[in-house]
Amino acid sequence: MAASESAILDWYGKLPARRVDLVGDYAGQELFVVEGDGLLLRCFDDPKIDFTDGFQLLHAVYAVEHFLHSLLQRKCVFHLVFFDVHKDLCVPRATPRISRNKYLLARAIIIRHLDLHLHTSHPTVKLYTFASALDPAFHAYLTASGAYFVMTHDGANPTPLGKDWKVQQHQDLDADTVDSEELRRRLIFRTTIHSFVDQGFNIALIDGLEWMDTKVGRLLDV
């Protein structure tokens, strides 16, 4: 691992985290950004969604729509932002290579579906795609939008690698390769988080999000 990569992981590991009501205690009606591939990773990680032996696209679309509906139900004000360079990050851990394109296809279909329908069903929810978090167009968007914080994934998986049934189920998956891919995912997400923090944004973790009646939230104290 390069020194810069190790430094990112060390920096992230020292960040304090607290649970807050993002709506009532923190954001209120302020606009925030939902990073799209973090959202998809959370939804695609649902054990009810299986692209290995089939293509449960409707289940995947429902999972994404249900998450967004839960935010809207709590009066959250947000935009969706996808980065082209992050597209591989939505593929869950231990996905056989033969099935990975199914997730990328689902990603493209879901983005298209949301882009077509959000402007009529929920006109305040805008969807944007940028090349990367370093794209000047994205920085211009952040400045113009006045977004209050960013909701994203940190690449973590709560299940230890040795206890992940998907790794055990697929004999063609090498544990070292899976571990290497996990590290890469964490590095990319956490490097992106670092760039947001450098720009003065707080971070809400989508993978640590809990729905509590009308409340929602987990916030990194940065």
Side-chain angles (χ1 to χ4, degrees), residues 24-99:
D25 298 336
Y26 183 68
Q29 298 300 303
E30 296 287 346
L31 172 72
F32 62 92
V33 171
V34 177
E35 190 275 321
D37 286 292
L39 164 63
L40 293 183
L41 178 58
R42 176 185 166 117
C43 293
F44 290 168
D45 253 338
D46 187 331
K48 296 177 182 177
I49 296 175
D50 181 15
F51 284 178
T52 302
D53 298 319
F55 190 44
Q56 297 175 323
L57 180 61
L58 291 179
H59 288 74
V61 172
Y62 172 80
V64 172
E65 289 184 337
H66 180 71
F67 184 94
L68 298 179
H69 175 73
S70 296
L71 290 179
L72 291 165
Q73 194 175 36
R74 290 161 175 81
K75 311 299 182 186
C76 292
V77 182
F78 60 93
H79 290 169
L80 291 169
V81 170
F82 288 86
F83 300 117
D84 294 338
V85 297
H86 282 188
K87 64 181 181 180
D88 291 330
L89 301 183
C90 73
V91 180
R93 173 206 271 176
T95 297
R97 293 196 177 279
I98 196 171
S99 301

Side-chain angles (χ1 to χ4, degrees), residues 98-173:
I98 196 171
S99 301
R100 294 188 179 196
N101 283 338
K102 295 180 182 179
Y103 287 97
L104 299 182
L105 177 59
R107 177 188 188 272
I109 291 172
I110 288 170
I111 291 175
R112 179 62 174 161
H113 170 74
L114 294 174
D115 194 36
L116 283 174
H117 296 289
L118 279 176
H119 71 281
T120 53
S121 61
H122 301 287
T124 62
V125 182
K126 310 294 185 184
L127 186 150
Y128 300 91
T129 58
F130 300 98
S132 73
L134 301 177
D135 188 336
F138 175 61
H139 289 286
Y141 157 77
L142 286 177
T143 300
S145 68
Y148 194 48
F149 68 92
V150 178
M151 181 179 288
T152 187
H153 209 289
D154 70 352
N157 191 311
T159 305
L161 190 61
K163 296 182 179 180
D164 193 326
W165 66 270
K166 290 191 292 184
V167 178
Q168 299 168 8
Q169 182 184 41
H170 299 292
Q171 300 300 320
D172 59 326
L173 292 173

